Structure formats: structure tokens, C-alpha cells
Amino acid sequence: MHGPLCSIIPPYMLRRLARQGAPEFSSAARAAKEALGHVESFRSARAKSAPGAPAGVRQAKPGPPDRSIFDANSSELLPGTLVRKEGGPPAGDPAADEAYEGLGHTHRLYADVFGRNSIDGRGLPLNATVHFGQLYDNAFWDGKQMVFGDGDGEVFERFTKSLSVIGHELAHGVTQYSAALVYRNQAGALNESMSDVFGALVEQYVKNQSAAEASWLIGEGIFTPEVEGRALRSLKAPGTAYDDDVLGKDPQPDTMDTYVRTSADNGGVHINSGIPNRAFYLVAESLGGNAWDSPGRIWYEALTGGSLPPAATFRVFARATVESAVELFGSGSPEHDAVQLAWETVKVKL
């Protein structure tokens, strides 16, 4: 099964970095050009919808994870050399062991909280490759497995350092097998938003953080100290994750009033995801407690319930979350009210 290649670093960030002429960022500029070329070479694949699981198929009872970590040894050949298998001892390589733990944490969230049997709902083995390419500035889900670069060392560090990155990329697999949202325009932005939401939930679940305690950041820890920024994106406050001389300012809008209409990045999938991201945060903030409980269940049911068309808009998804809230908690419940108010706040009409 092949799905769209979904990467954590958006093309607009790579393009800006690739234009840098300062000597201290020469490696970063070169690495960004290579990463951008790689992303763009997959544009046709990413623009197509990935086949999903048939709606209504009951999942098997969640089993234990089945993880395999490979080392590409700075090549771009996948999967690479097997360095750690399920139940085996640590590889002694930080990237390999971070990937192994991250896959396990993500599997545990879906199994424990949502009763999902791995990424596809049927016990899919979780494979990941580390040390992909030379100073590769990205991490991605290619429709079958996770792939992590080591970063350029000037702007980006290794991508396995952030659990939210691992959770984000694996969530693309969940979307692929559940809703098959096309990776373009609002459906693509929803695809990215689902990954940000569940990437954040993986991190919060592992740390046992309440909605109030969580950072709500995606990619925290992958910037070097040279970067003026905390992370790639913020669900709590889209547009505030970074403001840097080299990378520019986080361009994400937080309401439909500032929705970005563009043909770049498949119609702004990484930019406009800030709008549904903030809607989820607002629901979690309103309800309090742990975001993976009521808010997570509402979003998960909306994503996996089988009602979303591949080209779903924000409005279609918003209505699906309202319906999920009513089905799970009842009409007029605090959960129902919180979901409606969140979408009204980000100016998505129901």
C-alpha cells in the first residue's frame, strides 16, 4: 500500500533556508535544497489520495507493537540495515533508540486510549529508518514506514529527538488507512492537522500532562540553539512557534479571517492546518483534564468513523466533530458546546 509522502518540514521553510547565503548556514542551505528537491520529486504521489481501510470494518483487539528500526547509513536506500528488532536490546545509537521508543509510545496511545490495533487497525508492523541521506533536513511517512534525517546541524538537529514529530508522522498512516484525505487544499490541511493533534497527544500521554500543562508544540527540540524559536508549530497559538532571521516568522493563521490562499505546498497544507489545530486546542482548554480523553475521542471518531469524503473541507470536518460529540456525550453536553464554540472561534461555519 502506497500513500502520499508526508514530511514534517514544510516546503516554504526549506525554500527560505535554501536561499541563505551566509557562510555559517552553508551546510543548512545545501541540505535544504536537497530536502526540497526530494519533497518536490514526490509531488505527484502526494497529491493523490491514499487508499484507506473500508468504512465500518471492526478492528482486532490491540496487540503488542512489532517494531523494526533500520539504519540507512547516510544513503537514500530504504529500509537499510536492521539495527533493532522488537524486544531486542538498545542499539546504542540515539536516533535508532529514540525511533524505537517513539514508535512504541505512539502504538500505546492508539491501543490504550482508542482501542486501535496499530496504525492500520490490523496490527501493522511499525518500521522506521534512521540516518537517511546526508544531513537530511526532514522526517516523513512514505505510505509504508517512517524515515528520519539527521538534520544539518546548523538549523535542524536529528528529527528523532522530538516525540511529537514521530507521533505526527505515524498519524499520517492512521489517516491514510482511515479517511484517505487527499493531500491538497483544506483536505490536505486537515491531514496535517490530524497529525499535529495526535502527535501532541502522544507526547502529552507519555508525559501524563493535562491540557493546561502541555506545551502544545510540534517539533520541540529539533532546532539548534542558533534558531529563535521553540518548535515548528503551536496548536495553542498558531503563528508564534518561531520568529527567526533565517527561517522567518511562523506563517500559520489561527482563524479563517487570515486563511492563506496559495498554490504552493499543495494549497497550503502546512500553513492552514493552524486553523483546525487551534480548534482542537480550544476544545481541550475548555474541557480541561487530559486532551486525549473527551477531545481526543471526538476527533478520533470524526477521523475514523467512515463519513469523511477524501476532499473534506474544514466545514465538513467540523460538522463531523459536532456529530461525534453528540453521539459520544449527548446534545447540549459540555463536550458538544465546547466543540461548537471552538469552530465558531476560528471562524469555520458549521
Side-chain angles (χ1 to χ4, degrees), residues 237-325:
T240 68
Y242 61 89
D243 189 354
D244 181 72
D245 290 343
V246 173
L247 294 177
K249 188 181 185 304
D250 179 1
Q252 282 204 312
D254 60 1
T255 75
M256 289 299 292
D257 287 344
T258 47
Y259 181 87
V260 178
R261 300 189 182 281
T262 176
S263 60
D265 190 23
N266 280 9
V269 299
H270 287 92
I271 294 179
N272 291 315
S273 58
I275 296 168
N277 277 359
R278 185 164 178 244
F280 180 82
Y281 165 76
L282 290 171
V283 173
E285 177 195 40
S286 174
L287 296 176
N290 297 318
W292 61 81
D293 287 334
S294 300
R297 287 177 62 198
I298 292 168
W299 252 243
Y300 180 79
E301 290 300 324
L303 175 65
T304 64
S307 66
L308 291 180
T313 62
F314 290 174
R315 187 180 190 182
V316 167
F317 182 74
R319 287 178 170 176
T321 62
V322 171
E323 292 170 2
S324 292

Side-chain angles (χ1 to χ4, degrees), residues 162-164 199-207 209 215 217 220:
S162 172
L163 179 56
S164 62
L201 292 185
V202 169
E203 194 164 80
Q204 292 173 27
Y205 188 63
V206 168
K207 295 179 179 179
Q209 291 177 329
S215 72
L217 296 172
E220 190 173 19

Side-chain angles (χ1 to χ4, degrees), residues 124-339:
L124 181 75
L126 300 178
N127 298 331
T129 296
V130 297
H131 305 307
F132 178 83
Q134 296 186 7
L135 305 181
Y136 187 69
D137 270 348
N138 229 327
F140 60 88
W141 167 261
D142 73 350
K144 298 187 296 182
Q145 69 159 93
M146 279 295 313
V147 182
F148 299 97
D150 290 322
D152 54 66
E154 294 173 349
V155 172
F156 294 110
E157 300 194 35
R158 67 179 183 274
F159 287 86
T160 53
K161 289 186 70 174
S162 172
L163 179 56
S164 62
V165 167
I166 298 173
H168 170 105
E169 291 302 329
L170 285 174
H172 278 303
V174 175
T175 298
Q176 171 184 321
Y177 284 99
S178 300
L181 293 170
V182 295
Y183 204 63
R184 181 171 294 280
N185 301 329
Q186 289 191 12
L190 285 171
N191 195 319
E192 279 297 323
S193 178
M194 294 305 98
S195 283
D196 278 353
V197 164
F198 289 101
L201 292 185
V202 169
E203 194 164 80
Q204 292 173 27
Y205 188 63
V206 168
K207 295 179 179 179
N208 195 28
Q209 291 177 329
S210 68
E213 294 168 334
S215 72
W216 293 98
L217 296 172
I218 299 298
E220 190 173 19
I222 65 170
F223 284 149
T224 69
E226 300 299 316
V227 178
E228 292 293 328
R230 300 176 63 197
L232 295 172
R233 291 182 288 281
S234 169
L235 283 77
K236 181 177 181 178
T240 68
Y242 61 89
D243 189 354
D244 181 72
D245 290 343
V246 173
L247 294 177
K249 188 181 185 304
D250 179 1
Q252 282 204 312
D254 60 1
T255 75
M256 289 299 292
D257 287 344
T258 47
Y259 181 87
V260 178
R261 300 189 182 281
T262 176
S263 60
D265 190 23
N266 280 9
V269 299
H270 287 92
I271 294 179
N272 291 315
S273 58
I275 296 168
N277 277 359
R278 185 164 178 244
F280 180 82
Y281 165 76
L282 290 171
V283 173
E285 177 195 40
S286 174
L287 296 176
N290 297 318
W292 61 81
D293 287 334
S294 300
R297 287 177 62 198
I298 292 168
W299 252 243
Y300 180 79
E301 290 300 324
L303 175 65
T304 64
S307 66
L308 291 180
T313 62
F314 290 174
R315 187 180 190 182
V316 167
F317 182 74
R319 287 178 170 176
T321 62
V322 171
E323 292 170 2
S324 292
V326 170
E327 182 177 340
L328 291 168
F329 302 104
S331 180
S333 63
E335 292 82 3
H336 179 205
D337 291 344
V339 171

Side-chain angles (χ1 to χ4, degrees), residues 12-139:
Y12 58 78
M13 186 178 283
L14 292 174
R15 287 193 189 95
R16 184 177 177 106
L17 187 55
R19 293 195 295 267
Q20 294 302 314
E24 62 268 30
F25 294 110
S26 59
S27 292
R30 184 168 61 252
K33 290 175 184 176
E34 293 177 1
L36 186 61
H38 183 257
V39 169
E40 291 183 341
S41 72
F42 280 86
R43 176 171 292 179
S44 61
R46 291 165 58 214
K48 298 175 182 177
S49 63
V57 172
R58 302 302 299 174
Q59 299 175 32
K61 182 179 178 181
D66 179 9
R67 293 165 284 184
S68 296
I69 309 300
F70 301 87
D71 187 343
N73 296 296
S74 299
S75 76
E76 295 188 7
L77 299 177
L78 296 175
T81 305
L82 181 66
V83 292
R84 188 172 181 183
K85 189 71 175 170
E86 184 64 44
D93 170 13
D97 292 329
E98 286 165 351
Y100 182 87
E101 293 300 326
L103 296 183
H105 292 320
T106 304
H107 183 281
R108 183 159 62 90
L109 171 78
Y110 288 112
D112 292 356
V113 177
F114 306 118
R116 187 179 185 87
N117 189 23
S118 192
I119 298 307
D120 65 344
R122 297 172 174 79
L124 181 75
L126 300 178
N127 298 331
T129 296
V130 297
H131 305 307
F132 178 83
Q134 296 186 7
L135 305 181
Y136 187 69
D137 270 348
N138 229 327

